[in-house]
Amino acid sequence: MTATRSDRQGFVLVPSSELVGDTEELVFEKHEDITPRNSRFPEITEVTRGNQELPTAINITWSSINFKTILQWQPKPSGYFYTVEIHGQTSDTKKKCILTRETECDVTDALRNVKETYTAHILSVTSSGMDNFEEPPYAVSEKFTPYSQTVLGKPEIQNYTQKGSKLNVVLKDPLTPYAFPNGSFQSIRDIFQNDLEYKLYYWKDQSSGKKDAVTKSHSFEVSVDSTKNYCFYIQGNIPSRRENRNGQESMVLCTSVGRNILDEYGAEVFIIIAVIAIAVITLAVVLSVVLCKRKKAKAAREKEPLNGV
């Protein structure tokens, strides 16, 4: 008998040519394992290779208004998830939107130190990838500093009056998502302080020539023509910035002192009113003439029998 067989440990059983009684003597010889390395744990190799081939985020953008900051990217995931890591220069790494299928993430509360510069790492992971010791593929955003890059939102105009030759406008600072210990929200002035100013743009109603005034407070007072109405809007401004100095514009409002129909609705409406008035006068004249003729005709008929007698 000359057959051989191997077990899982790589040993080969070789029968001896000598037999003792009816018992076959078996001799164990150690052989080198010839199992291919890449076939020992095919499931682990497949998972690792799959992670390396996961798509990473592209077109990463920061969108921030009054310090409310949203991170956006592409593409929409299919068969995997995203997890966002916020890395600050001095702060600890914070994870947001863990295992999300969305392509945006609100990272506002991870950026509370508004003067720090951050980067976002957007990890592409499988559902079990977060437990893997291997680093998943990821994309890195551009640097973002909230203090110098968030956009100033629209200021709110609380009150305005035009009395004589003075136009007075009172505004309210936009609020941020960050709160004081008492729960009230901080305004952009609480954060920017003396770096913040507002600019008032104003002009005569139905005119294109603009004037402007600047304040670091919450109110404006400017000189105007007391016989004219004025329109205006307000815009926040950070002069110390290199970029994004000007904020969003408030809604446009207009005063109505001494406003007549022509100012309010324009010449077209005045012309229509004039035409209607002329038509009414003409109709009245025509009716008067017709009625007068009828009265004369009736009076003439009443006199005819008397003449016959």
Side-chain angles (χ1 to χ4, degrees):
M1 183 174 183
T2 59
T4 64
R5 56 192 175 90
S6 62
D7 66 3
R8 292 185 179 181
Q9 285 72 34
F11 291 96
V12 178
L13 304 179
V14 181
S16 171
S17 59
E18 297 181 2
L19 296 177
V20 180
D22 294 333
T23 304
E24 182 179 34
E25 181 182 355
L26 300 179
V27 180
F28 290 81
E29 295 182 4
K30 180 68 181 290
H31 285 245
E32 292 184 1
D33 186 3
I34 59 175
T35 305
R37 291 182 179 273
N38 61 1
S39 64
R40 287 187 177 182
F41 306 102
E43 68 282 357
I44 295 177
T45 303
E46 184 178 347
V47 169
T48 302
R49 186 183 303 118
N51 281 345
Q52 290 174 346
E53 293 178 354
L54 289 179
T56 55
I58 59 174
N59 299 332
I60 305 172
T61 57
W62 300 89
S63 176
S64 182
I65 300 176
N66 295 334
F67 296 101
K68 181 175 179 61
T69 305
I70 307 296
L71 193 67
Q72 298 173 311
W73 64 89
Q74 295 175 332
K76 199 80 173 175
S78 177
Y80 64 100
F81 302 89
Y82 290 116
T83 293
V84 177
E85 290 183 348
I86 301 298
H87 295 254
Q89 290 179 325
T90 59
S91 58
D92 295 334
T93 300
K94 300 178 180 66
K95 288 189 176 183
K96 300 291 295 180
C97 303
I98 299 172
L99 296 178
T100 180
R101 291 190 182 275
E102 302 299 324
T103 55
E104 68 174 37
C105 182
D106 187 339
V107 296
T108 302
D109 62 350
L111 312 177
R112 289 183 176 274
N113 185 356
V114 296
K115 292 188 177 182
E116 186 168 7
T117 298
Y118 300 90
T119 56
H121 291 192
I122 302 178
L123 285 60
S124 300
V125 296
T126 59
S127 58
S128 60
M130 296 301 293
D131 299 327
N132 199 324
F133 289 105
E134 293 190 12
E135 187 175 37
Y138 63 91
V140 182
S141 71
E142 296 288 335
K143 294 180 179 180
F144 179 74
T145 306
Y147 192 86
S148 60
Q149 292 179 261
T150 194
V151 175
L152 302 182
K154 298 178 180 180
E156 178 185 345
I157 298 175
Q158 284 191 308
N159 185 33
Y160 65 95
T161 58
Q162 182 180 344
K163 293 182 178 179
S165 60
K166 296 295 182 182
L167 172 63
N168 293 275
V169 182
V170 179
L171 64 93
K172 181 180 179 181
D173 295 314
L175 298 178
T176 75
Y178 301 129
F180 289 110
N182 64 6
S184 62
F185 289 102
Q186 299 180 55
S187 70
I188 61 172
R189 183 175 296 281
D190 293 321
I191 295 177
F192 287 113
Q193 299 183 4
N194 289 332
D195 282 345
L196 174 66
E197 67 180 26
Y198 289 101
K199 185 172 286 189
L200 171 71
Y201 294 91
Y202 63 103
W203 61 95
K204 291 180 182 179
D205 193 8
Q206 300 183 2
S207 172
S208 58
K210 290 183 182 179
K211 295 182 178 180
D212 62 76
V214 176
T215 185
K216 286 185 176 289
S217 68
H218 295 92
S219 62
F220 293 90
E221 183 178 270
V222 294
S223 298
V224 294
D225 186 341
S226 60
T227 64
K228 299 292 183 180
N229 295 301
Y230 283 79
C231 296
F232 60 90
Y233 66 86
I234 299 174
Q235 187 177 36
N237 184 274
I238 305 292
S240 60
R241 286 182 173 181
R242 294 182 179 180
E243 299 177 350
N244 298 325
R245 289 184 178 180
N246 298 322
Q248 297 177 339
E249 300 173 357
S250 73
M251 64 183 301
V252 176
L253 296 176
C254 298
T255 62
S256 58
V257 176
R259 186 183 292 269
N260 54 39
I261 294 178
L262 184 60
D263 292 332
E264 186 76 27
Y265 300 104
E268 294 82 359
V269 174
F270 179 76
I271 293 172
I272 292 173
I273 293 175
V275 169
I276 293 174
I278 293 172
V280 170
I281 293 172
T282 303
L283 181 61
V285 171
V286 170
L287 288 174
S288 298
V289 171
V290 171
L291 290 174
C292 184
K293 287 183 177 181
R294 285 185 176 181
K295 285 182 179 180
K296 288 181 178 180
K298 183 177 180 181
R301 286 195 300 270
E302 289 176 350
K303 290 180 180 180
E304 286 179 356
L306 295 175
N307 294 334
V309 177

